[in-house]
Amino acid sequence: MFHWDVDFTSLTKNIYKMKLVSYKTEDKEHLGIYANGHIYNLNSCDKLIPDNMNAFLEGGEPLMERAKKVNQEILDGSLSPKEEVFYELLAPVPHPTSCRDGYAFRQHVAAARRNRKVDMIAEFDQYPIFYFTNHNAIQGPGEIECMPDHFQKLDFELEVAVVIGKKGRNIKAAEADEYIAGYTIMNDMSARTLQMEEMLLNLGPAKGKDFSTVIGPWLVTPDELEQYKVAAKENHVGNAYNLKMTCKVNGIEVSSGNMADMDWTFAEIIERCAYGVDILPGDVIGSGTVGTGCFLELNGTGLLNDPNYKVQWLQAGDHVEMEITGLGALSNNITKVDTDFSILALKK
């Protein structure tokens, strides 16, 4: 049993409403809250609260209110439960019911297309899109194990994600924010050689994405972000937030953006997701990559401006840390599986 070396104090300089975490002790998963620099087990504080995130989210608003009450009692000192000491921090939603990823930042899309010497696509401004990725490949802070083929242009993608808190269908954007249980950081890991290979056939991304999607370190309830709320972009509907987004690789900042730069809001993305189909508690929906938020874009821009630009991709042993205002910091170490098995080598 262990816990990741997370500097909780530096990440929580403001007073927030509630942070939900999933963690493991003695090979058993639990649901907790982070408060006053510690993690506390929610079920130990209120037996009516389930001890796992999925069951908690399925319980809807009544359980959320019970958890907020526990959180407030801990913060004001009227409740003093035993804090967890030895634990492994997991993805806040370790077993999502599904995982979608959007395409919400125009800056990223325009730069990527410019770097490929193609015009900006007009359809981007007409409707939000998303793809499904592997919800069984969700993980949290810690090691990201990659196969040899993943290291053929291995990339990070700096994003925000929401988790759905109640079931809905055919939801209008004006009401869609009510379905969000919380926000978290997302690193949509990408193996670019695999991704580009399969997308030549106009299908995907699939194998280029489904080995790891990282979320964490916790799930932040929407009321925590009220102080950062800003107006959505012109002709758009839904909540928007002024949250600085950065990514460092081996301590060097390589990416910087802001959640306020999302052109399509999560409310609008949810409206499209829920058209003719149920969205469920525990669904994870990513924003898509912020401008400058991946090496694919950074390398392309660099080479466009300087043919001698030195491209960069993630390597075994690299440390990746993403930080977003109000959402904390998500840290991962890249490791290589000891094998020579390659699906790229199986091409006929």
Side-chain angles (χ1 to χ4, degrees):
M1 294 183 296
F2 56 97
H3 73 273
W4 297 108
D5 185 16
V6 180
D7 183 0
F8 289 119
T9 303
S10 67
L11 302 180
T12 55
K13 296 177 181 178
N14 298 302
I15 296 175
Y16 296 128
K17 298 296 188 299
M18 186 165 65
K19 293 180 175 67
L20 295 161
V21 296
S22 293
Y23 64 98
K24 183 185 289 186
T25 62
E26 297 178 343
D27 291 324
K28 184 178 179 181
E29 294 180 4
H30 304 279
L31 172 66
I33 54 174
Y34 167 73
N36 291 338
H38 301 285
I39 288 176
Y40 302 92
N41 182 268
L42 271 170
N43 177 258
S44 296
C45 300
D46 184 337
K47 295 301 181 184
L48 293 179
I49 299 176
D51 198 21
N52 70 84
M53 181 66 82
N54 286 58
F56 172 77
L57 291 172
E58 288 170 5
E61 193 63 28
L63 290 183
M64 186 68 75
E65 291 304 315
R66 296 188 77 91
K68 287 181 179 180
K69 182 175 182 293
V70 170
N71 182 70
Q72 188 57 47
E73 289 174 347
I74 292 173
L75 290 175
D76 64 25
S78 60
L79 181 65
S80 300
K82 180 181 178 181
E83 69 268 14
E84 298 287 0
V85 178
F86 299 104
Y87 57 86
E88 176 186 354
L89 196 61
L90 306 173
V93 186
H95 310 287
T97 42
S98 72
C99 187
R100 300 169 174 90
D101 199 14
Y103 208 38
F105 290 92
R106 195 181 202 280
Q107 179 186 347
H108 169 68
V109 178
R113 293 184 68 84
R114 180 201 64 217
N115 294 344
R116 300 199 306 272
K117 296 181 171 57
V118 295
D119 293 334
M120 181 58 182
I121 187 166
E123 284 77 7
F124 174 85
D125 296 308
Q126 296 172 10
Y127 48 85
I129 64 168
F130 66 89
Y131 70 91
F132 281 96
T133 191
N134 187 356
H135 62 290
N136 291 316
I138 287 285
Q139 63 182 100
E143 292 188 353
I144 301 174
E145 291 189 342
C146 299
M147 295 288 286
D149 289 346
H150 297 144
F151 285 100
Q152 301 300 311
K153 300 182 179 178
L154 181 64
D155 208 351
F156 70 92
E157 294 196 45
L158 174 59
E159 308 188 16
V160 183
V162 296
V163 175
I164 298 301
K166 61 181 180 179
K167 183 178 178 179
R169 176 186 286 244
N170 295 329
I171 302 161
K172 298 296 178 62
E175 290 82 43
D177 283 309
E178 300 171 11
Y179 289 78
I180 296 174
Y183 295 79
T184 190
I185 302 171
M186 175 184 277
N187 180 0
D188 178 34
M189 295 290 296
S190 299
R192 298 301 189 183
T193 296
L194 285 170
Q195 178 186 352
M196 298 309 172
E197 176 187 75
E198 62 195 357
M199 292 186 75
L200 290 172
L201 294 168
N202 295 323
L203 192 65
K207 290 310 299 175
K209 296 283 190 175
D210 77 346
F211 60 102
S212 174
T213 301
V214 192
I215 59 174
W218 38 52
L219 186 66
V220 175
T221 54
D223 46 10
E224 288 202 10
L225 302 181
E226 282 294 317
Q227 60 185 307
Y228 304 110
K229 189 177 286 186
V230 294
K233 292 200 172 182
E234 187 177 2
N235 297 322
H236 289 272
V237 176
N239 291 340
Y241 300 96
N242 176 24
L243 307 181
K244 184 179 180 181
M245 306 169 64
T246 61
C247 180
K248 294 179 181 178
V249 176
N250 300 326
I252 299 172
E253 184 175 301
V254 295
S255 175
S256 179
N258 197 297
M259 186 180 170
D261 292 329
M262 287 178 69
D263 292 84
W264 293 103
T265 66
F266 275 114
E268 292 166 327
I269 297 170
I270 290 169
E271 180 181 62
R272 189 170 180 90
C273 291
Y275 181 76
V277 69
D278 293 337
I279 57 169
L280 301 171
D283 285 357
V284 172
I285 304 173
S287 63
T289 310
V290 69
T292 78
C294 65
F295 280 138
L296 180 69
E297 179 188 336
L298 294 168
N299 290 337
T301 300
L303 289 170
L304 193 67
N305 296 326
D306 177 7
N308 297 315
Y309 179 85
K310 185 177 180 181
V311 302
Q312 183 177 357
W313 301 103
L314 293 176
Q315 307 294 327
D318 281 352
H319 178 73
V320 181
E321 182 175 66
M322 295 181 169
E323 186 165 1
I324 299 179
T325 304
L327 302 184
L330 176 61
S331 298
N332 295 98
N333 296 313
I334 308 298
T335 65
K336 187 174 182 178
V337 177
D338 185 16
T339 180
D340 58 2
F341 179 43
S342 167
I343 58 171
L344 287 172
L346 298 178
K347 288 191 293 185
K348 291 180 173 57

